[in-house]
Amino acid sequence: MTVSTVEDLPVAVRRLGIKYHIKGQIEPFVAVKSVSFDVRKGELVAVVGPSGCGKSSLVGAISGLVPYAAGSIYVTRERVKSPSPHLGVVFQRALLLPWKSVLENVAISLTIARVPKREREERAMAMLKMVGLVDFASRYPHELSGGMQQRVNLARALVRDPDVLLLDEPFASLDAQTREEMQEELMKIWMLAGKSGLFITHQIDEAVYLADRVLVMSAGPASILIDEVKIPFERPRKLHLKREPEFQELVDRIWEKVRLKRDEVGDEA
Amino acid sequence: MSYIPFPSGADVPALSFDIEDDFYSMEEENHTLSRRARFGTWAQSRVGRRVIGTASVLLVLAAWQIFASLNIVQASVSSSPWGVITAGRAYYTSSHALSDLSASGLEILYGFLVSLVVGIVLGVAIGTNKLMEAAFDPFINLLYSMPRIALAPLFVIWFGIGMESKIAVIFLNAVFPIILNTAAGLRSVDQELVGMSRLFGANRWFVVTKIMLPSSVPSIVAGIRLAIGNALLGMVVAELIASTRGVGFLIESASNNFQTDLLFVGIFTIAIAALILMSAVRLIERRLDRWRP
Ligand SMILES: Nc1ncnc2c1ncn2[C@@H]1O[C@H](COP(=O)(O)OP(=O)(O)O)[C@@H](O)[C@H]1O
Ligand SMILES: [Mg+2]
């Protein structure tokens, strides 16, 4: 895997290791052993891997919430020690404050930064427009469907205008049809917003459809990156791309790698 | 009366695998609900419950009045609803009423406000900080499990027979449920929600005041409900021990003079105060939780 200097890279991860201390156990649990990769400007990189391989741990470490045991992480050239203001995170669960309106939820990072109310509301409204929820600004989260809540989740991550977007399985809890709609939506927003990003998923077709590069993670514990696949399709990509044989071929190739390498890693251990 | 799983008069339908048939037979049953079954549904409705509740209270009052008029025990001992009403009217038009109510009311107000502030602050400290939890744990355990009202005579020595000793007793009674419920509420806050807000730049103050406390509203309100009962108990007992004014004093002096009617006036005053405070809490809770469906 090519690893350059951290100059001008939105995200640079070097030999990252993540350990958890388990209650009543002396030896820490090694979730991620050693992982290195970059996200280049304007690029959307997907990480795929089986459930429990450490994808959320990776997101946690990059976002500055999970302390890491080894290696280093840079977000826009700054060493990550605490949550970076250049980062927007879309969580697997929507994590909306149930007592706040949709608009206030989207604006939470601006509220925290003491942005004046008017500007805050304007910017949050612009984000709601982008995700198609203007009419729902004054609703409460529980009045929204799962797909709509994830749109709010996305709008909230974008409102601070971060350089880098981290998405941790944002569509995993949605039904198949809503998920495809959201993938198409994200494709459009990606073209508009001009961000760099890391997209975590365990769905290989989702990774191939959305990403410029797909990184394959081995099964945990002590997971590593075992492969990188470049996705050649031009943007904007239409949903029917998924029905094309070239697309299917790529998905199958990555699937093979996930399966094959997982067995190899299993033999090694 | 035996428990009747099906409306009486209707036969238990035979098990059938013909869904459509079953469906229709159930509909028919609804039309032929027995009188008893229909009363059962009405009794569960809002209006039904109100009517039945009021009726049962009136029934008890009537029984009490009749019992008193039979003169089995002396009227001055048994008292009667009518006697209580007469005594209440006399009491509430006298100057004592204002003096007693203002004394007790202020004691409750101050005692409860101090409990609320101290309870929530300590609850937050204990619920979010392991060191604080460990430091306060022995005191809280001891004071929470003992009958704290036993400390009331001590407080009379320390703070005198004025308002201060009552406020101290009320505080000691009311503060614990607020501390414990606040701490429990904060400990069970969704940690991912906290992580989300930290990611978007929140500091500790924002996390506590804007994420953790709002999340804990139901738990804190439950603590406040318990605290109201405890506060009223503290007030009455403290006034019974030593006082010159207040509703507890009213009860005490009525008892000394064998004025059972007046004693009941005191008791009902406290009961009504409790009801008013509880509905105030319910209103505040509704306002805080107005986002709930
Ligand atoms: N806070 C934690 N404490 C202990 N172990 C954890 C913690 N978070 C995650 N793990 C463990 O780390 C591994 C990776 O978890 P996670 O990053 O959530 O995987 P993924 O997101 O790929 O499903 C799992 O084995 C999980 O049990
Ligand atoms: Mg995960």
Side-chain angles (χ1 to χ4, degrees):
Chain A
M1 206 159 300
T2 54
V3 167
S4 47
T5 59
V6 300
E7 282 298 304
D8 282 330
L9 287 171
V11 179
V13 175
R14 297 288 176 274
R15 296 178 191 284
L16 176 69
I18 301 171
K19 291 178 185 171
Y20 290 109
H21 290 279
I22 312 285
K23 251 192 199 140
Q25 252 176 262
I26 301 159
E27 284 290 302
F29 174 82
V30 181
V32 175
K33 191 175 161 194
S34 178
V35 162
S36 301
F37 67 89
D38 295 333
V39 176
R40 295 190 273 271
K41 245 193 165 65
E43 200 181 30
L44 184 59
V45 175
V47 176
V48 297
S51 178
C53 73
K55 302 184 295 293
S56 291
S57 303
L58 185 64
V59 169
I62 296 173
S63 61
L65 286 181
V66 172
Y68 43 100
S72 49
I73 302 170
Y74 299 87
V75 170
T76 60
R77 276 182 283 172
E78 284 162 28
R79 182 85 186 252
V80 171
K81 294 193 191 90
S82 57
S84 161
H86 305 293
L87 213 59
V89 181
V90 184
F91 305 88
Q92 183 165 351
R93 283 171 57 207
L95 296 178
L96 304 175
L97 302 180
W99 58 87
K100 292 278 188 194
S101 72
V102 165
L103 189 73
E104 290 170 308
N105 264 289
V106 171
I108 185 170
S109 61
L110 305 179
T111 310
I112 291 170
R114 296 176 192 278
V115 172
K117 193 175 158 107
R118 266 200 60 169
E119 184 192 342
R120 196 161 84 203
E121 288 184 348
E122 269 169 24
R123 284 169 68 178
M125 252 342 205
M127 289 304 119
L128 282 177
K129 198 168 185 178
M130 191 191 264
V131 298
L133 284 180
V134 178
D135 296 339
F136 294 85
S138 56
R139 299 274 193 106
Y140 285 109
H142 70 82
E143 296 167 326
L144 267 51
S145 69
M148 288 155 116
Q149 291 187 12
Q150 285 307 81
R151 284 168 200 258
V152 178
N153 191 355
L154 181 62
R156 179 181 59 193
L158 286 167
V159 78
R160 217 166 28 157
D161 198 20
D163 299 313
V164 182
L165 210 55
L166 276 184
L167 303 103
D168 184 9
E169 306 203 42
F171 311 143
S173 58
L174 305 178
D175 62 88
Q177 193 186 330
T178 313
R179 192 185 308 143
E180 292 223 311
E181 279 169 20
M182 293 293 291
Q183 289 167 359
E184 203 177 17
E185 187 90 14
L186 182 64
M187 176 65 66
K188 279 185 208 147
I189 289 169
W190 196 255
M191 303 287 295
L192 280 175
K195 307 278 175 208
S196 317
L198 191 66
F199 189 97
I200 309 287
T201 179
H202 65 260
Q203 296 229 315
I204 295 171
D205 71 321
E206 184 170 84
V208 173
Y209 173 70
L210 288 170
D212 299 293
R213 272 188 301 145
V214 176
L215 306 177
V216 182
M217 224 168 159
S218 74
S223 56
I224 50 169
L225 287 184
I226 50 178
D227 222 322
E228 172 187 11
V229 178
K230 288 198 162 53
I231 311 298
F233 308 118
E234 283 293 311
R235 289 174 194 277
R237 298 168 187 166
K238 294 275 183 287
L239 264 182
H240 60 70
L241 174 69
K242 290 188 174 185
R243 269 42 110 183
E244 302 290 328
E246 300 101 295
F247 186 94
Q248 273 308 318
E249 228 165 80
L250 262 178
V251 171
D252 288 345
R253 226 176 81 200
I254 295 172
W255 179 238
E256 278 304 310
K257 279 173 181 163
V258 175
R259 222 174 45 185
L260 191 83
K261 295 286 170 71
R262 203 197 301 168
D263 294 344
E264 277 179 18
V265 171
D267 288 342
E268 212 177 277
Chain B
M1 192 179 78
S2 66
Y3 174 64
I4 302 165
F6 276 89
S8 68
D11 281 331
V12 176
L15 264 183
S16 151
F17 294 101
D18 189 338
I19 292 164
E20 234 170 284
D21 215 46
D22 237 19
F23 179 74
Y24 286 118
S25 69
M26 270 161 78
E27 263 211 327
E28 264 166 45
E29 216 168 283
N30 251 328
H31 290 298
T32 57
L33 275 180
S34 71
R35 200 187 279 177
R36 183 185 292 169
R38 257 180 291 159
F39 180 75
T41 12
W42 176 77
Q44 280 164 15
S45 73
R46 237 177 96 101
V47 178
R49 286 172 55 101
R50 279 274 164 78
V51 170
I52 292 168
T54 312
S56 78
V57 169
L58 289 177
L59 206 68
V60 169
L61 288 178
W64 185 11
Q65 184 71 48
I66 290 165
F67 175 79
S69 63
L70 292 179
N71 257 329
I72 301 170
V73 287
Q74 261 186 348
S76 67
V77 173
S78 71
S79 180
S80 66
W82 192 246
V84 175
I85 289 171
T86 315
R89 207 183 285 148
Y91 172 71
Y92 274 101
T93 48
S94 74
S95 62
H96 293 297
L98 188 65
S99 157
D100 288 339
L101 285 184
S102 64
S104 293
L106 282 179
E107 286 160 16
I108 283 286
L109 182 72
Y110 291 143
F112 192 74
L113 281 184
V114 177
S115 303
L116 195 64
V117 173
V118 173
I120 289 179
V121 169
L122 272 184
V124 168
I126 289 167
T128 57
N129 188 316
K130 290 267 175 277
L131 182 82
M132 289 289 210
E133 190 182 357
F136 278 102
D137 196 50
F139 298 104
I140 288 180
N141 261 334
L142 180 74
L143 283 168
Y144 189 64
S145 36
M146 75 177 279
R148 294 176 298 282
I149 204 74
L151 290 170
L154 178 68
F155 285 3
V156 173
I157 299 178
W158 283 356
F159 300 109
I161 64 164
M163 202 178 262
E164 292 83 357
S165 63
K166 279 88 194 172
I167 293 174
V169 176
I170 291 170
F171 169 74
L172 199 70
N173 260 283
V175 77
F176 284 95
I178 302 181
I179 295 177
L180 292 173
N181 277 272
T182 305
L186 264 77
R187 272 194 287 262
S188 59
V189 169
D190 184 347
Q191 283 308 306
E192 284 194 78
L193 224 46
V194 173
M196 178 278 293
S197 69
R198 290 226 294 124
L199 256 167
F200 290 119
N203 58 17
R204 190 126 194 92
W205 178 250
F206 186 95
V207 169
V208 169
T209 58
K210 298 289 162 55
I211 309 284
M212 297 182 111
L213 280 175
S215 295
S216 310
V217 163
S219 175
I220 296 172
V221 169
I224 288 175
R225 285 218 172 86
L226 290 172
I228 285 176
N230 282 4
L232 288 169
L233 174 77
M235 178 202 82
V236 173
V237 173
E239 286 181 354
L240 286 181
I241 290 170
S243 61
T244 54
R245 295 162 68 195
V247 183
F249 175 73
L250 166 70
I251 292 174
E252 168 78 359
S253 52
S255 167
N256 288 342
N257 300 323
F258 289 95
Q259 291 173 294
T260 319
D261 291 341
L262 191 58
L263 198 152
F264 272 110
V265 171
I267 289 172
F268 283 126
T269 302
I270 291 166
I272 289 166
L275 287 179
I276 292 171
L277 288 174
M278 289 296 180
S279 357
V281 171
R282 192 170 313 137
L283 277 180
I284 293 167
E285 184 182 28
R286 283 226 191 105
R287 163 114 185 89
L288 288 173
D289 269 355
R290 64 186 176 285
W291 55 272
R292 264 183 225 282

